[in-house]
């Protein structure tokens, strides 16, 4: 299905398409985080990635719940945006030798991922409400809160020591 093809005729179609886009993204993040946990040196950063991996597995399950509630198949559609963010992150981290600099690069990459998720879930919550699906909106909102909290945790880590030590 093309992004701007006629397959998306209504707000409901657009909502379902975007759910499937973020479903693809969440599944991709579940696959990518273990590598980031391995690469991170700082124990607090490793811990932050590990706990967000558990949350991310839950995000996948919540999306499946929203698909079920909305009466559509839990299907993923390609999301070139998340593929690009992760590909760029792998390129950059592959170029870094210094462990402290690598931690800073991993944080920056992870924050790009979180910001992508935040924009998608923000949109999905608004559209769910617009479509009269407050039940779906409240589930999506729980995930949105966790994405924002993950981003803030990474901010705090970056500001408190990781970037300073890399300087
Ligand atoms: Fe997520
Ligand atoms: Fe996330």
């Amino acid at each position: 299905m093309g992004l701007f093809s006629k397959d998306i005729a209504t707000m409901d179609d657009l909502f379902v398409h975007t759910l499937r886009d973020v479903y693809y993204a969440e599944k991709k993040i579940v696959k990518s985080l273990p590598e980031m946990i391995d690469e991170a040196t700082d124990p607090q950063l490793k811990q932050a990635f590990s706990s967000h991996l558990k949350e991310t597995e839950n995000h996948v399950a919540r999306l499946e719940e929203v698909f079920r509630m909305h009466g559509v198949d839990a299907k993923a559609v390609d999301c070139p945006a998340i593929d690009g963010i992760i590909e760029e992150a792998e390129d950059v981290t592959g170029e870094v030798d210094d462990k402290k600099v690598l931690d800073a690069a991993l944080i920056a990459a992870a924050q790009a991922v979180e910001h992508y998720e935040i924009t998608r879930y923000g949109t999905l919550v608004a559209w769910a409400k617009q479509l009269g699906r407050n039940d779906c909106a409240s589930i999506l909102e729980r995930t949105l809160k966790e994405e924002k909290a993950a981003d803030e945790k990474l901010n705090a880590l970056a500001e408190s020591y990781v970037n300073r030590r890399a300087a």
Side-chain angles (χ1 to χ4, degrees), residues 7-19 70 123-124 126-132:
D7 296 336
I8 300 172
T10 64
M11 275 312 295
D12 195 275
D13 295 340
L14 188 59
F15 175 65
V16 171
H17 175 85
T18 306
L19 278 175
H70 202 56
T123 295
L124 283 167
W127 285 349
K129 286 179 183 165
Q130 196 180 322
L131 290 164

Side-chain angles (χ1 to χ4, degrees), residues 133-165:
R133 297 307 309 243
N134 285 347
D135 51 349
C136 297
S138 73
I139 291 177
L140 295 163
E141 205 145 31
R142 277 158 65 196
T143 298
L144 177 59
K145 278 193 184 125
E146 289 176 4
E147 310 295 14
K148 286 182 177 167
D151 181 53
E152 275 158 26
K153 196 177 193 178
L154 291 167
N155 247 345
L157 271 174
E159 282 169 11
S160 71
Y161 55 86
V162 178
N163 284 345
R164 182 156 31 98
R165 286 185 327 188

Side-chain angles (χ1 to χ4, degrees), residues 41-78:
T41 302
D42 183 85
Q44 279 182 277
L45 182 56
K46 267 188 197 290
Q47 177 53 43
F49 284 156
S50 298
S51 70
H52 199 54
L53 174 57
K54 288 196 193 77
E55 285 178 337
T56 302
E57 285 163 349
N58 211 14
H59 299 170
V60 171
R62 277 188 199 139
L63 285 169
E64 286 165 355
E65 174 70 1
V66 172
F67 284 124
R68 195 192 58 73
M69 287 161 65
H70 202 56
V72 293
D73 292 340
K75 273 198 314 199
V77 294
D78 283 356

